[in-house]
Amino acid sequence: MGRRLLPLVLVLVACSGSQAGVSTTAPPVTVTSTVTTTSVPAPDATLGDTPSASTTTTLAQPVEEILYEHWRGSFQFRDGLRIDVHAPEVRSNHPIAVMVHGGGWFGGRLDSMGHLADGLAAQGFVVFNASYRTLTQGGAFPSMVEDVACAVAYARDHALDFSTTADHLTLIGYSAGAHLASLVAFSPATFGTACEGGDVPVDAFVGLAGSYDTDVYAFLLQPFYGTAFSVDPEPWRAGNPFTYVSDIDPDLEILLIHGDMDEVVPTAMSENLFLAVEQSGASASLHVITAASHTEVNSPRLVSELIAAFVNGDQ
């Protein structure tokens, strides 16, 4: 498959590299945004307070959450991992979303997605902003992917605490988190068996500046796969979402978003995945945001309305 040669600077990883390949042919759709950022007051919710009884273990309130209008609590799911819920105050027929942060597989925090989670809650979503075990926390392949699948299962189990329906669930990933989320979205039966209900397909996948083709990062991801690509390519094949493109559920809705000024992950990553999905017979939408950098693609002012329109069928 084609790859574009661009400098690579991974978030939270002090290294760089380059890739060689060819450019794609299908022109992307250009999207611009004029939505402005607004400040939000402190939440009125108590940690772990949900409308219905729950056996979920709650966590101490993170300081940064006091800035969010729609934050509803921090909870504990698989192996002590944290998941934050952002939701409208009034329970109604809200779409459900699970959000997965970036960080170059080595690090990152769910707090980096907090403003987008709150922005989507303002659009009427119930958002479960999930953590996972990064490499610095002892995670690897496939445990990181299984953590994401377990977050999806948790969201399904607790969606009705915040919404009157759980009929539609969107999995949203950013950067390395988009890679992990795409594996769960494309092949839930492969990665969802670690948690009850984790193998249930999601309804939609949104990838934000995703670093999908991990073969490109052979110089970096030996700790993730536990072996060098040249020694044993099988884990690399199993952890590459392109492996599962031909098996994508035709009902899965796919939106890929990338900035054309992304200095971290080549725009070709999303372009190539878009082409592969289309060639497989499934369907996807690709949006390249004009003059957007890597860190801007998870900004609510740029993408919250775009994601809401996609999920609600308005685009």
Side-chain angles (χ1 to χ4, degrees), residues 29 94 113 127 135 180 206-207 213 218 269 280 283 287 295 302:
V29 179
H94 302 302
M113 303 296 289
V127 182
L135 283 169
L180 302 175
V206 176
D213 188 0
M269 280 282 184
S280 75
S283 60
H287 291 272
T295 56
L302 288 184

Side-chain angles (χ1 to χ4, degrees), residues 246-290:
S246 60
D247 299 323
I248 291 176
D249 186 331
D251 292 330
L252 179 68
E253 303 162 9
I254 300 173
L255 173 63
L256 306 176
I257 303 174
H258 221 110
D260 68 353
M261 297 295 289
D262 194 319
E263 73 287 8
V264 177
V265 177
T267 308
M269 280 282 184
S270 292
E271 294 171 343
N272 289 341
L273 184 58
F274 168 76
L275 289 174
V277 171
E278 291 284 300
Q279 291 167 3
S280 75
S283 60
S285 297
L286 170 66
H287 291 272
V288 178
I289 303 179
T290 303

